[in-house]
Amino acid sequence: MHVRRTRGWELPSSSATPEALYFSRRELMGAGAALLAAGVVAGPAVAQRVGDLPDPSAGLYPAAQNPRYTLDRPVTPQDKSSVVNNYYEFSYGKNVAPSMGRFQRRPWLVKIDGLVEKPQEFGIDDLLKKVQLEERLYRHRCVEAWSMAVPWTGFPMKDLVALAAPTSAAKYVRMETFLDPKVAPNQKDFRFPWPYVEGLTLAEATNELAFLVTGVYGKPAPGQYGAPLRLVTPWKYGFKSIKGIVRFSFTDKQPVSFWEEVQGGEYGFWANVNPKVPHPRWSQASEEDITTGNRRPTLLFNGYGEFVADLYKGREAEKIWF
Ligand SMILES: Nc1nc2c(c(=O)[nH]1)N[C@H]1C(S)=C(S)[C@@H](COP(=O)(O)O)O[C@H]1N2
Ligand SMILES: [Mo]
């Protein structure tokens, strides 16, 4: 299918920098959240509607927590993290769930192709039979300078890489979100190069932290969290953590990610969290906790340097911070 490629300069100024634009809109949401808390309008019941559908994988939850990954802050309550989401396919605002009425988590086909010994396509529930689910508590840091901490359930991405058996020529994994404008209304918005695409080097994808997520808070994940399959790379800005994945392609070329294509001067391939390297239009030195509204200092690699810093030795010239 032909997708019109949009250049940054073709966008009207009001939408050229959506992540920043909607950050200020999110702050307005504070008032909305207060109304929700007061029960004035439907709150978490709406937010979790998708998650309430019967799910064939429900019996796999809750999975045992892996104690290796610890937090320095409380877990963000689900009534907060379920209404502060980024999922542009459905909404440019932060309360995404009410726009997901047509979204279904099953059937869900996942394809593995490209430079692999074992190209394959399978349903998500077949994949879940081949992996071991575990729970991990991770910090999440959006490039818009807000943060939360989530109990994700999933499996290490390296287990999916092993199923694919990449050839020695493969250097990167390119991931793609589903494309169905009947389900995701903003995929009709031709200013964006749908489907959402992200990529990792093979070394990043097989790092122990790279996690493919199927659940949150001990249950199958509601749609707004990227169910039934999303990536979480907690040392990188949140936009790397692609939701609704249907395809993993192994390649020798560095993938161009969605935000890089939309606004390459502001969002790059590497996107490692660094408080000392500002976004071109705002500081990354601190972040707002979405639960309390308090600011805290941002940590290098979002606090995960012990696991990932070695990946970038010798690459300092490559704009690894955005
Ligand atoms: N397909 C898709 N994946 C996406 C996005 C998106 O708009 N579409 N937003 C990204 C951004 S900017 C962030 S911060 C995280 C948000 O994850 P959360 O909603 O679970 O907090 O999802 C990322 N993955
Ligand atoms: Mo983000």
Side-chain angles (χ1 to χ4, degrees):
M1 148 169 201
H2 176 73
V3 177
R4 192 175 110 85
R5 297 285 145 174
T6 305
R7 307 288 165 211
W9 63 84
E10 291 178 320
L11 297 171
S13 58
S14 64
S15 64
T17 53
E19 286 238 289
L21 177 65
Y22 292 98
F23 183 47
S24 53
R25 184 167 296 182
R26 186 179 70 85
E27 290 177 336
L28 290 176
M29 272 184 34
L35 288 176
L36 291 178
V40 176
V41 284
V46 171
Q48 291 169 45
R49 186 180 53 202
V50 177
D52 293 337
L53 294 173
D55 186 307
S57 66
L60 300 174
Y61 297 83
Q65 189 177 101
N66 186 335
R68 187 166 158 81
Y69 309 103
T70 53
L71 293 177
D72 56 352
R73 60 196 72 178
V75 167
T76 302
Q78 190 170 9
D79 64 359
K80 199 78 185 173
S81 71
S82 63
V83 294
V84 182
N85 300 103
N86 274 336
Y87 207 163
Y88 270 51
E89 287 85 340
F90 295 95
S91 171
Y92 301 141
K94 286 288 188 278
N95 188 3
V96 172
S99 306
M100 296 192 75
R102 303 183 83 98
F103 179 76
Q104 300 279 345
R105 296 175 299 185
R106 299 290 190 287
W108 195 270
L109 284 179
V110 180
K111 184 192 248 182
I112 295 179
D113 62 5
L115 302 173
V116 292
E117 306 286 356
K118 297 181 184 162
Q120 52 194 295
E121 192 165 19
F122 40 72
I124 182 75
D125 293 299
D126 292 331
L127 174 61
L128 287 174
K129 286 184 194 123
K130 295 181 190 159
V131 295
Q132 177 69 47
L133 293 183
E134 63 184 62
E135 182 176 76
R136 295 186 181 186
L137 308 180
Y138 275 169
R139 294 178 288 274
H140 176 93
R141 172 60 158 81
C142 177
V143 73
E144 299 162 329
W146 54 265
S147 63
M148 59 182 183
V150 181
W152 305 109
T153 304
F155 59 92
M157 186 166 181
K158 67 174 158 45
D159 295 351
L160 181 127
V161 174
L163 290 174
T167 68
S168 58
K171 299 283 181 280
Y172 300 90
V173 189
R174 179 186 183 278
M175 288 153 279
E176 215 173 87
T177 297
F178 76 94
L179 182 64
D180 188 349
K182 290 190 298 302
V183 168
N186 289 344
Q187 289 184 335
K188 294 188 188 113
D189 185 343
F190 59 80
R191 294 171 303 170
F192 290 102
W194 312 108
Y196 200 97
V197 168
E198 261 304 342
L200 296 173
T201 65
L202 216 46
E204 290 175 326
T206 53
N207 181 274
E208 66 171 280
L209 287 184
F211 202 45
L212 286 169
V213 161
T214 58
V216 287
Y217 300 91
K219 295 202 173 107
Q224 71 268 37
Y225 292 94
L229 190 63
R230 68 91 62 87
L231 174 68
V232 171
T233 47
W235 72 99
K236 293 177 178 286
Y237 291 115
F239 65 86
K240 296 296 292 183
S241 295
I242 179 174
K243 298 177 171 180
I245 304 171
V246 294
R247 186 175 175 192
F248 297 86
S249 304
F250 290 75
T251 160
D252 55 1
K253 292 186 191 60
Q254 186 170 303
V256 179
S257 58
F258 177 86
W259 282 105
E260 194 179 1
E261 175 138 7
V262 171
Q263 196 77 334
E266 303 194 355
Y267 309 102
F269 175 77
W270 297 99
N272 296 309
V273 174
N274 187 340
K276 295 211 175 92
V277 178
H279 183 276
R281 289 177 293 112
W282 61 84
S283 166
Q284 297 289 23
S286 67
E287 63 205 44
E288 183 189 318
D289 181 316
I290 66 163
T291 309
T292 60
N294 296 338
R295 298 199 79 82
R296 65 168 67 240
T298 287
L299 306 169
L300 184 64
F301 290 115
N302 201 21
Y304 294 103
E306 61 175 302
F307 301 105
V308 297
D310 284 352
L311 291 171
Y312 307 102
K313 291 264 158 64
R315 305 200 91 141
E316 291 78 3
E318 291 182 52
K319 292 190 173 174
I320 59 172
W321 305 115
F322 62 89

